[in-house]
Amino acid sequence: MLALLAVGVLAACEPEPYVGHPTAPKMAVVGDSLTLDIEDAAIDRFTDDGWAVSVTAFGGYTLRDHQDTLQRAVGTGPEVLVVALGSNDIREFAIGHQDLGGYRDLVRATLATARDVPCVVWVGVNTTSGYWGPGGDHVVYGPWVNLMTSVEITASGRAPGRTFLADWASRSAGRHDYFVAPGDVHHTSRGSRAFLDLIADTVAQCPPRATLANLDAVVARADSVTVAGWAKDQSDPHRPTQVEIVVDGRLVATVPADGRRSDVARVFPHLGAHTGFSATVPAEPGLRRVCARAVDSTGARARPLGCATVTVPEPPTTSSTTTTTTIPEPSTTTTTTTTTVEAPTTTTSTSVPEPSTTSTTAEAGSPAISDDVSGEPGTQAP
């Protein structure tokens, strides 16, 4: 019995898989029974809007219960994180299991966890919701929960326009038909539809993706690594986007993405044809972690394009050795390797997966290295 309980707890920490096109930008939703009630409708709505959606919701869960889930959800690299929690925390207040100070700390911890997520939508609670306390009185904590959440969002230091409080209290004010009973947190079917509408309306306020980009491939040769792909900041299309090359956590080069890529231009005509980059940088022999990241026109924090772990061979003596490693799809964990031995040269190559459109926080696959190749390019966005 204990073993089954442990498995259940571990499973609860894992976010649900994303539903939608594998190249679509990701939206992770974490909530309680109110979110569980709209799970299917939310997936249908947001996938129709072009998102890949993960909805992880459990009845009775508090913000504290979902801390591990939130951390793992952020680790999947979503463009948008929706936090729809708080109603069950009110229950904890009413029965004396949690105080407002503890809730404030959890809000701070959640915002810190989500610091690198481009947009966070926090869904507020109904201000009339409450629970019967030990003394037999109906305690209402909704206004305090919303106020504290709003204050912590403001104090978190996140850039303006990147964090939004979806005001369910205002949207549901005076709408008794939204709730199964007066003072209850649970929604009628009409209330659930309005709840989902609020989330969708707030997500629509998130800033559009500015930089489109992709890491095509990483090639390791003796004493060096070549990194190639494309990038363009849509907010400044007339200026080449700068791309940083990082090896084992150390910035080793910054190059302009101004090479000709007619394949990109065919798919994204407004970006122009000069979006490609290719850079060869020195690297010591051995296992190396190689990443690329784009810097937008404002000089803001670089957005990851992807990473690959490659083996840089020792300098050749009588023969040359080349190892080619491509960037896998976000969901791909296996690599197909074909080795051909010919005297006096040994070559190990990894096939290039189909191109994709993904968040820049996730690894993505794309075409092989080329200054100007045919076919549809892979894409990424921050």
Side-chain angles (χ1 to χ4, degrees):
M1 181 65 180
L2 289 176
L4 290 175
L5 180 61
V7 170
V9 171
L10 288 174
C13 294
E14 291 293 338
E16 291 294 321
Y18 283 93
V19 178
H21 196 281
T23 65
K26 297 177 181 177
M27 179 194 305
V29 183
V30 179
D32 50 29
S33 61
L34 304 182
T35 304
L36 192 61
D37 289 342
I38 63 169
E39 179 177 4
D40 292 340
I43 290 173
D44 289 343
R45 180 161 184 169
F46 289 122
T47 53
D48 286 347
D49 288 343
W51 294 93
V53 188
S54 166
V55 179
T56 307
F58 298 96
Y61 264 50
T62 65
L63 187 56
R64 176 182 286 109
D65 295 332
H66 262 318
Q67 285 299 296
D68 285 343
T69 311
L70 288 161
Q71 290 178 8
R72 293 169 189 248
V74 168
T76 64
E79 294 273 348
V80 176
L81 174 67
V82 178
V83 182
L85 296 163
S87 295
N88 292 304
D89 294 270
I90 293 175
R91 176 199 64 212
E92 299 296 286
F93 300 149
I95 62 179
H97 288 178
Q98 182 172 269
D99 57 25
L100 289 171
Y103 178 78
R104 175 200 61 204
D105 293 342
L106 289 169
V107 174
R108 289 178 178 176
T110 302
L111 291 170
T113 296
R115 61 186 174 274
D116 291 329
V117 177
C119 186
V120 174
V121 171
W122 198 299
V123 185
V125 300
N126 173 27
T127 54
T128 63
S129 60
Y131 287 87
W132 294 101
D137 53 337
H138 189 260
V139 183
V140 177
Y141 283 96
W144 294 105
V145 169
N146 288 337
L147 176 62
M148 187 168 294
T149 303
S150 178
V151 168
E152 292 305 322
I153 288 175
T154 302
S156 67
R158 286 178 58 87
R162 292 186 57 212
T163 310
F164 300 91
L165 181 63
D167 191 358
W168 179 232
S170 296
R171 182 69 66 95
S172 63
R175 296 302 303 260
H176 303 298
D177 56 328
Y178 283 0
F179 302 95
V180 297
D184 201 304
V185 299
H186 295 97
H187 305 146
T188 61
S189 58
R190 181 174 295 177
S192 290
R193 288 194 297 270
F195 190 65
L196 177 55
D197 287 343
L198 172 68
I199 294 174
D201 291 346
T202 311
V203 168
Q205 299 179 48
C206 290
R209 293 170 289 159
T211 302
L212 291 174
N214 193 67
L215 178 60
D216 287 349
V218 174
V219 180
R221 296 185 176 87
D223 294 330
S224 69
V225 174
T226 299
V227 184
W230 62 273
K232 175 63 73 170
D233 181 359
Q234 297 182 93
S235 64
D236 191 7
H238 303 294
R239 181 184 305 176
T241 299
Q242 298 299 309
V243 177
E244 297 178 343
I245 310 300
V246 179
V247 178
D248 291 339
R250 183 172 63 90
L251 177 63
V252 296
T254 301
V255 297
D258 57 2
R260 184 173 179 80
R261 289 293 297 265
S262 58
D263 60 323
V264 176
R266 281 194 295 270
V267 179
F268 304 105
H270 66 288
L271 299 184
H274 296 278
T275 58
F277 69 87
S278 180
T280 299
V281 297
E284 294 293 327
L287 203 63
R288 297 286 171 252
R289 180 71 167 169
V290 183
C291 302
R293 57 197 189 194
V295 183
D296 65 24
S297 60
T298 67
R301 177 182 297 180
R303 301 289 189 185
L305 304 187
C307 298
T309 300
V310 297
T311 300
V312 178
E314 296 285 346
T317 52
T318 59
S319 63
S320 62
T321 304
T322 301
T323 302
T324 303
T325 303
T326 59
I327 313 302
E329 294 285 345
S331 60
T332 301
T333 56
T334 60
T335 305
T336 301
T337 304
T338 303
T339 303
T340 303
V341 180
E342 297 180 1
T345 302
T346 301
T347 301
T348 303
S349 65
T350 303
S351 60
V352 180
E354 289 296 322
S356 62
T357 304
T358 63
S359 165
T360 56
T361 56
E363 297 189 356
S366 60
I369 297 176
S370 173
D371 290 334
D372 189 359
V373 300
S374 61
E376 294 188 357
T379 59
Q380 287 186 342

